[in-house]
Amino acid sequence: MKSAVENVNPTRVKLTVEVPYEELKPRVDEAYKTIAQQIQIPGFRKGKVPSRLIDQRVGRGYVIETAVNEGLNDFYQKAMVENELTPLSRPEVDITELPSIEKEGEGQLVFTLEVDIRPKVELPDYKGIEVSVEAKEVADEDIEKALDDLRGRFGTLKEVEAPAAADSFVTIDLTASVDGEEVDSAQGLSYQIGSGNMLEGMDEAVTGLSAGEDATFETTLAGGEHAGKAATVKVVINAVKQRELPEANDDFAQLASEFDTIAELRENLAKDAAEGKIVEQGVEARELVLDKLVELVEVPVPASVIDEQIEQHFNAPDAEADHDTEEHRSEVRENTERAFKNEIILDAVADAEEVGVEQSELIDYIVQTAGQYGMEPNQFAQMLDGAGQVPMLMGEVRRRKALAKVLEFATVTDSNGAAVDLTSFVKPAGEEEAAEAEVEEAK
């Protein structure tokens, strides 16, 4: 088999593929066997009909056509591999020549195809990219907030005779009406003012109210059969409660942690806060490094592939028709093109750095992603496997590792000009220990 490639544009090629009859013959023989199972001729058992009788009954042209249809995809795949091309779309195929019908063994199969392909990019020297992130310093307020949050987990609610205020817990009854008709009601609900997990306008309505008082406000219903409709809601305050926090002393430290003293607990909270700041800087630096990479690398974008993804977005079963606006389409196109560029660049980095994916890394990513969808990891993994999405996830993990590698090589400073050490961000403790073990073993 021979193939020749013609570049239509940077992301689309035209292939001409020539398959000699010798390579097509196994497909022809298989086609005879298939057709022999489908026809019946008196005097011959099913599947045992001679080729010459099949030619007489259905025509050799039909046999050749069957062989070509069965083998075309394999020949196409082989041509793509030989020319080191990765398809992004379904090929448009045109058969231009078929083997001779009259003379066995003469002629060849020739077909052309056009297909969108992954563009090949040239990476710049990405080692030493310079980025600047916001300076992050641990303040006393950060430690106190962390301590208060911890105390809050061990706090108790106490009913108070005072108006509801920010962060107060209230027990309420709700009645919702649409056009003067009651459509829903609930009693004994618990709500923390400021949490924002109930109806819009709730915080303003209940703030300042005491037990036994009520208020009415206008809102838009968020759930149920009347979701999206304007409603009048009456809220009645049954009780106002405040959280009482345990005193921050050594007893609390022993209750809430493995530390014996409140000083040791504060010291650990300060350490955690510092690590949190590093993570914030790491996330910011990672995005900035990726932005720099996209600026440095010219990535041609296949318009037809992007167009198809945009149509899938707007034609999805859960797509909202009123969101299909020119402005929204422009935004989706920009995001889709950026995602495509990110993928191409990071795959190229992963190839250059010979980045692989360990099974444990894939499992960690599945567990993390499953939590975002509110699913059990095993259930999520089975769903991905059934949908054939595991290779896609492996690619995502590989690209994340590639970006971490670029970040590892980057020079990061903060807005004060100080160097930022992101070693713990790009190489978690477990990886550092493994790397050190490999060095020791090599010695």
Side-chain angles (χ1 to χ4, degrees):
M1 191 187 86
K2 298 189 298 183
S3 61
V5 180
E6 175 187 343
N7 292 320
V8 178
N9 60 47
T11 61
R12 191 171 179 84
V13 296
K14 179 179 181 180
L15 269 73
T16 300
V17 182
E18 299 177 0
V19 183
Y21 184 78
E22 301 84 64
E23 284 192 48
L24 185 62
K25 189 176 186 307
R27 301 285 180 176
V28 175
D29 294 340
E30 194 64 33
Y32 275 119
K33 292 179 182 179
T34 300
I35 296 171
Q37 293 288 340
Q38 298 171 347
I39 63 175
Q40 292 183 345
I41 295 180
F44 295 93
R45 287 181 297 164
K46 192 173 184 179
K48 300 297 182 180
V49 181
S51 300
R52 58 183 178 78
L53 291 183
I54 292 176
D55 289 344
Q56 293 174 8
R57 177 64 64 91
V58 301
R60 181 168 169 79
Y62 178 76
V63 177
I64 295 294
E65 180 183 340
T66 301
V68 169
N69 289 338
E70 290 297 319
L72 198 60
N73 186 62
D74 286 345
F75 297 135
Y76 156 66
Q77 296 288 353
K78 184 177 179 182
M80 297 298 286
V81 171
E82 286 181 352
N83 292 282
E84 298 181 347
L85 302 173
T86 303
L88 292 178
S89 63
R90 293 178 63 86
E92 298 175 7
V93 181
D94 181 23
I95 298 174
T96 58
E97 184 179 335
L98 288 171
S100 173
I101 296 176
E102 289 78 17
K103 296 184 179 181
E104 168 76 24
E106 289 192 7
Q108 62 181 345
L109 166 65
V110 181
F111 64 92
T112 63
L113 64 89
E114 285 195 17
V115 64
D116 294 305
I117 60 167
R118 285 178 67 92
K120 297 178 180 179
V121 297
E122 290 190 16
L123 292 173
D125 182 7
Y126 51 81
K127 298 183 178 181
I129 288 178
E130 298 180 1
V131 294
S132 176
V133 298
E134 285 295 320
K136 302 280 186 179
E137 297 181 359
V138 178
D140 291 341
E141 291 79 5
D142 296 319
I143 302 172
E144 291 305 316
K145 183 181 183 306
L147 181 58
D148 286 344
D149 289 343
L150 183 59
R151 291 167 65 202
R153 289 161 53 186
F154 291 85
T156 57
L157 292 179
K158 182 179 180 181
E159 192 167 332
V160 296
E161 294 183 4
D167 297 328
S168 293
F169 289 81
V170 290
T171 305
I172 56 176
D173 295 339
L174 289 178
T175 304
S177 301
V178 174
D179 296 330
E181 180 182 350
E182 182 178 322
V183 296
D184 201 2
S185 65
Q187 289 75 42
L189 298 177
S190 180
Y191 176 67
Q192 183 180 18
I193 299 177
S195 61
N197 58 2
M198 208 169 276
L199 295 170
E200 185 177 350
M202 174 73 75
D203 290 346
E204 294 81 357
V206 299
T207 298
L209 297 183
S210 299
E213 296 181 334
D214 61 72
T216 302
F217 63 99
E218 304 296 324
T219 190
T220 300
L221 297 180
E225 60 179 304
H226 298 283
K229 291 186 177 180
T232 300
V233 177
K234 179 180 179 181
V235 54
V236 178
I237 306 294
N238 296 322
V240 178
K241 300 177 182 180
Q242 294 290 349
R243 189 188 295 277
E244 283 194 344
L245 304 181
E247 186 178 350
N249 53 24
D250 293 347
D251 289 339
F252 172 72
Q254 295 166 20
L255 170 68
S257 70
E258 70 273 26
F259 301 104
D260 293 327
T261 67
I262 192 64
E264 291 173 329
L265 177 56
R266 286 181 185 275
E267 183 180 347
N268 187 69
L269 292 175
K271 178 184 175 183
D272 290 344
E275 292 175 354
K277 299 294 184 184
I278 290 294
V279 170
E280 291 177 14
Q281 289 180 315
V283 170
E284 183 183 356
R286 184 174 59 193
E287 295 302 315
L288 292 172
V289 162
L290 185 54
D291 288 342
K292 282 285 185 72
L293 269 178
V294 174
E295 289 176 9
L296 292 171
V297 183
E298 183 68 29
V299 182
V301 179
S304 60
V305 174
I306 301 299
D307 288 342
E308 182 178 352
Q309 292 183 16
I310 292 173
E311 290 308 313
Q312 289 176 353
H313 174 86
F314 285 101
N315 292 327
D318 57 347
E320 298 183 25
D322 59 346
H323 285 188
D324 191 357
T325 63
E326 184 176 345
E327 182 180 359
H328 190 197
R329 277 186 173 264
S330 177
E331 180 184 352
V332 171
R333 177 176 294 278
E334 182 179 343
N335 292 339
T336 305
E337 290 182 352
R338 172 59 189 261
F340 179 84
K341 292 179 180 180
N342 291 350
E343 181 176 318
I344 296 298
I345 294 171
L346 293 178
D347 280 345
V349 172
D351 291 340
E353 297 293 333
E354 299 181 345
V355 174
V357 177
E358 300 291 336
Q359 184 178 18
S360 59
E361 294 171 327
L362 180 61
I363 292 173
D364 287 344
Y365 185 71
I366 288 175
V367 170
Q368 175 188 349
T369 309
Q372 296 174 0
Y373 286 95
M375 298 177 64
E376 289 293 328
N378 287 339
Q379 178 189 9
F380 187 62
Q382 290 173 4
M383 183 191 73
L384 292 171
D385 188 45
Q389 297 295 310
V390 173
M392 181 192 73
L393 250 68
M394 290 187 66
E396 181 62 27
V397 174
R398 187 169 181 259
R399 284 187 282 275
R400 284 176 169 234
K401 292 183 66 177
L403 182 53
K405 180 64 69 174
V406 179
L407 181 56
E408 181 183 342
F409 295 137
T411 299
V412 184
T413 56
D414 65 20
S415 50
N416 294 329
V420 178
D421 183 2
L422 294 178
T423 303
S424 62
F425 179 78
V426 297
K427 285 187 175 181
E431 291 186 21
E432 286 189 69
E433 292 168 5
E436 291 173 3
E438 289 180 7
V439 171
E440 288 300 320
E441 188 177 337
K443 291 179 180 179

